[in-house]
Amino acid sequence: MAAIDLTVYAEALIATTARAFYDDDVVCLIDVLLRDKFLRDDDMAPRLHLPARQLRRTLQFLEEQLLVKHELVDDLSSGGSQNTKFWYIDYNMAVQIIRLRIHLLQTKLQSSELRARSSSLYLCPGYKRQRCNGKYTETDAQRMVDPNSGRFLCRECVRAFTNHPNAPPVEEYTLQLVDNQVELKSAMDNLRRVNVQFSSKMESIGGGGEGSNQQQQRPLRQGIFELLQQVRPIRGAEPITSNLPSENIAMGVGSKRLVGTGRTA
């Protein structure tokens, strides 16, 4: 039984993630490295039609993001130098980094929604007038119930106005529940937007034969969620390659030297 190669899914995941999160210059750079497997740093600027300074800045950024790496390779036999720098994407690391970042993003958005659903904030009217610091969580407010009226009273104002000859009415320091529907809607919208963006996009096509009104769905593009499932380690699958330039060169994979020059094509 032939081993399952996850490389094609890893490449699709990296390309899709680049388009979801990064600017056009990053997307172009990722696409070239996916296509050519590795490139010399002095060949990349002309190929991408980018100024050398901008290219270096982009490469440094992606290296900090752990999406690209470089390897120094002895390339003398092919017209290069003893320490030629080749840039490449470590597929195995890139997949793990993407998986982690998507997980952290989902966790953050889910926590924001849960916090908006479960948290209630109580303010004293005096807080808005800068008369006191009466801002309380629901738990704190429940500890300040007035036994006579059953109201939630501002602790600071109660202390200030007890035995005060001109104390304001108790309504002026009764805590009021703040409406957090705007915060909740924002948290729900952010989570929904991410789920839609990262899921496969489908399109409807006619089906069922002549005269049929049935619509069938087919994928227009794969989403990040589905691609993450496809690159999960499974029995019988080869480990996702690290895509080292030295190994690819030895196997004859990737960019080739132009005859009579030190450049790759």
Side-chain angles (χ1 to χ4, degrees):
M1 179 178 176
I4 302 171
D5 187 3
L6 300 179
T7 302
V8 64
Y9 300 123
E11 290 180 335
L13 173 64
I14 294 166
T16 302
T17 302
R19 283 161 173 77
F21 288 101
Y22 297 105
D23 294 333
D24 290 345
D25 55 343
V26 171
V27 173
C28 290
L29 179 54
I30 292 291
D31 284 349
V32 168
L33 288 174
L34 288 174
R35 183 191 67 206
D36 292 348
K37 308 307 179 190
F38 57 88
L39 279 175
R40 279 177 43 172
D41 55 346
D42 56 351
D43 286 349
M44 297 175 72
R47 282 203 180 197
L48 294 169
H49 304 289
L50 288 175
R53 181 178 296 179
Q54 182 181 349
L55 176 62
R56 285 195 298 270
R57 187 167 58 245
T58 303
L59 286 169
Q60 181 180 357
F61 168 71
L62 287 175
E63 196 168 27
E64 291 169 353
Q65 295 278 299
L66 302 179
L67 291 178
V68 303
K69 290 183 176 182
H70 69 268
E71 183 186 23
L72 298 178
V73 179
D74 185 344
D75 198 35
L76 283 172
S77 61
S78 300
S81 67
Q82 193 170 7
N83 287 306
T84 301
K85 180 186 283 188
F86 287 100
W87 290 92
Y88 70 103
I89 298 172
D90 183 333
Y91 291 173
N92 188 41
M93 176 175 282
V95 166
Q96 301 308 319
I97 290 298
I98 292 169
R99 190 188 306 280
L100 174 61
R101 288 180 178 163
I102 295 299
H103 170 73
L104 292 176
L105 176 59
Q106 284 186 289
T107 300
K108 179 181 178 181
L109 293 175
Q110 290 167 354
S111 297
S112 296
E113 183 185 3
L114 181 61
R115 187 168 56 251
R117 287 184 182 277
S118 60
S119 65
S120 297
L121 186 66
Y122 288 82
L123 291 182
C124 175
Y127 180 85
K128 300 176 183 178
R129 303 172 193 158
Q130 300 182 341
R131 185 185 66 196
C132 68
N133 297 309
K135 184 177 181 181
Y136 304 94
T137 65
E138 184 173 8
T139 303
D140 291 336
Q142 289 175 351
R143 298 193 186 107
M144 295 179 288
V145 178
D146 178 33
N148 298 321
S149 64
R151 297 171 182 260
F152 294 154
L153 300 182
C154 172
R155 181 189 296 119
E156 190 174 333
C157 291
V158 168
R159 290 173 180 169
F161 296 129
T162 298
N163 300 323
H164 194 288
N166 297 314
V170 70
E171 289 80 10
E172 291 198 17
Y173 52 94
T174 297
L175 301 183
Q176 299 173 353
L177 177 63
V178 176
D179 184 6
N180 68 338
Q181 290 302 307
V182 173
E183 180 185 354
L184 176 58
K185 183 178 184 301
S186 176
M188 292 174 63
D189 286 346
N190 288 338
L191 185 59
R192 179 190 55 79
R193 190 179 302 113
V194 165
N195 287 333
V196 170
Q197 182 182 5
F198 292 172
S199 297
S200 294
K201 186 175 182 180
M202 309 296 288
E203 67 173 348
S204 298
I205 58 174
E210 186 177 353
S212 173
N213 293 323
Q214 293 182 351
Q215 295 288 316
Q216 295 180 347
Q217 297 286 316
R218 70 177 179 187
L220 189 59
R221 62 165 173 81
Q222 286 186 295
I224 292 176
F225 290 148
E226 288 73 20
L227 289 167
L228 281 171
Q229 288 296 320
Q230 290 174 324
V231 295
R232 291 179 70 89
I234 57 176
R235 181 176 298 179
E238 292 284 347
I240 297 175
T241 177
S242 292
N243 194 40
L244 284 169
S246 56
E247 295 179 355
N248 283 328
I249 290 171
M251 295 185 294
V253 175
S255 301
K256 301 293 190 299
R257 288 285 179 192
L258 290 173
V259 177
T261 75
R263 300 182 62 78
T264 54

